[in-house]
Amino acid sequence: MNRDLLKNIRCFILDMDGTIYLGSRVFDFTIPFLSALTASGREYLFLTNNSSLSAADYVKKLERLGIPAGKNGVITSGDATIEHLKNAGLTRVFLMGTESLMNDFKHNGFTLTDDKPAAVVLGFDTTITYEKIRTANDLLLSGTPFYATHPDLVCPYLPHPIPDTGAMIKMFEASSGVSPIVIGKPNAPMASAIMRRYGYSLDEIAMVGDRLYTDVKFGLNNGFASILVLSGETDSAMLGESGIAPDHVFSDIGEMGRILGIGP
């Protein structure tokens, strides 16, 4: 692999958990890579399917971890969901989400209600209760449209992964027979939100992440470069068995930076 690889990329879209940190542990190669990337004249954007925190809260988390958020900051599946629903005129919703996500929806002009909402929205709700589940299920069985922020089955965590929105989707599909429109990676609404917000062309973007079915497929499905790093969920055996072919594979972003000539 040579240093001309991906030479036209202006912006590296970086997944967070499993790519630049794991839980609360920042990888040793993260800060040197980001500094070298900036020094090379390229930009980076942090992108996460985890909708339990707002973009502003993620920036604060990154700062606490000593990670510079970069010029373009953070975009979450919650941000993309808000944009998608506003464009569709669906601003009266029953939302299953954390306080951070609920505040983000309210700040963007949404009415959060269980009284004849225009949509049921499922985020990564770490505060979910049986009452919320039952209310959502009743609304779905009554014909209310169903949206979910992202499809991840589990969230990386130590010592073991924890159930994420994708697992909750399966629960609602089993109880109501209704499948949601899913906004986040690897789906087109998330890509559309990035293109509208930041103005990059497809050949100027590379998606970097540790998950095959979200990060890698996000690039493959939407026409920009896909880079898999083996520092998180996916290992070499999983890659070989998946039938998914990333454009490029590296052990981590540190190795990627060194091979591309944008790392120490």
Side-chain angles (χ1 to χ4, degrees):
M1 221 172 265
N2 61 56
R3 293 190 173 205
D4 289 333
L5 182 68
L6 301 174
K7 64 181 180 180
N8 294 324
I9 301 302
R10 288 183 53 215
C11 181
F12 287 84
I13 303 175
L14 302 173
D15 176 56
M16 292 196 282
D17 213 338
T19 301
I20 64 168
Y21 59 71
L22 188 62
S24 60
R25 179 174 67 86
V26 180
F27 294 129
D28 292 340
F29 45 75
T30 294
I31 303 300
F33 170 77
L34 296 177
S35 297
L37 193 64
T38 300
S40 75
R42 296 174 175 86
E43 297 177 346
Y44 59 87
L45 160 68
F46 292 118
L47 181 68
T48 181
N49 265 357
N50 190 326
S51 58
S52 65
L53 294 178
S54 68
D57 286 335
Y58 271 114
V59 169
K60 292 176 184 176
K61 176 179 179 178
L62 291 170
E63 290 174 346
R64 287 195 301 270
L65 293 173
I67 299 172
K71 175 183 176 182
N72 292 316
V74 178
I75 184 169
T76 75
S77 65
D79 295 327
T81 301
I82 286 169
E83 183 174 321
H84 184 84
L85 292 173
K86 285 183 77 171
N87 288 341
L90 305 175
T91 58
R92 183 180 175 87
V93 304
F94 178 71
L95 173 64
M96 289 170 282
T98 59
E99 182 177 3
S100 179
L101 185 63
M102 293 174 71
N103 287 339
D104 226 13
F105 267 72
K106 291 175 184 175
H107 179 73
N108 281 277
F110 283 77
T111 299
L112 306 184
T113 181
D114 60 1
D115 181 20
K116 298 180 180 178
V120 171
V121 181
L122 174 63
F124 182 22
D125 189 359
T126 58
T127 63
I128 199 163
T129 63
Y130 194 79
E131 185 63 26
K132 290 183 186 179
I133 294 169
R134 191 181 71 179
T135 299
N137 194 67
D138 285 344
L139 290 167
L140 295 178
L141 289 169
S142 298
T144 308
F146 187 19
Y147 292 82
T149 56
H150 61 289
D152 300 47
L153 295 170
V154 296
C155 177
Y157 204 76
L158 295 174
H160 304 294
I162 57 176
D164 204 330
T165 302
M168 299 178 194
I169 288 172
K170 289 182 178 294
M171 174 183 65
F172 284 110
E173 287 175 334
S175 63
S176 70
V178 180
S179 296
I181 294 171
V182 183
I183 303 298
K185 298 178 292 184
N187 299 308
M190 183 74 118
S192 297
I194 292 170
M195 303 299 284
R196 282 193 296 267
R197 184 178 295 195
Y198 300 108
Y200 297 111
S201 61
L202 289 175
D203 61 353
E204 294 174 326
I205 298 173
M207 177 69 215
V208 185
D210 66 304
R211 289 189 170 191
L212 291 164
Y213 70 96
T214 54
D215 299 321
V216 171
K217 291 194 76 173
F218 187 53
L220 296 175
N221 289 357
N222 295 287
F224 41 83
S226 61
I227 300 174
L228 175 69
V229 290
L230 303 176
S231 52
E233 176 179 295
T234 304
D235 58 25
S236 296
M238 291 171 62
L239 173 60
E241 296 168 358
S242 70
I244 298 172
D247 293 317
H248 312 286
V249 181
F250 301 99
S251 62
D252 52 54
I253 58 171
E255 182 195 39
M256 180 181 78
R258 289 190 297 273
I259 290 176
L260 301 185
I262 52 174

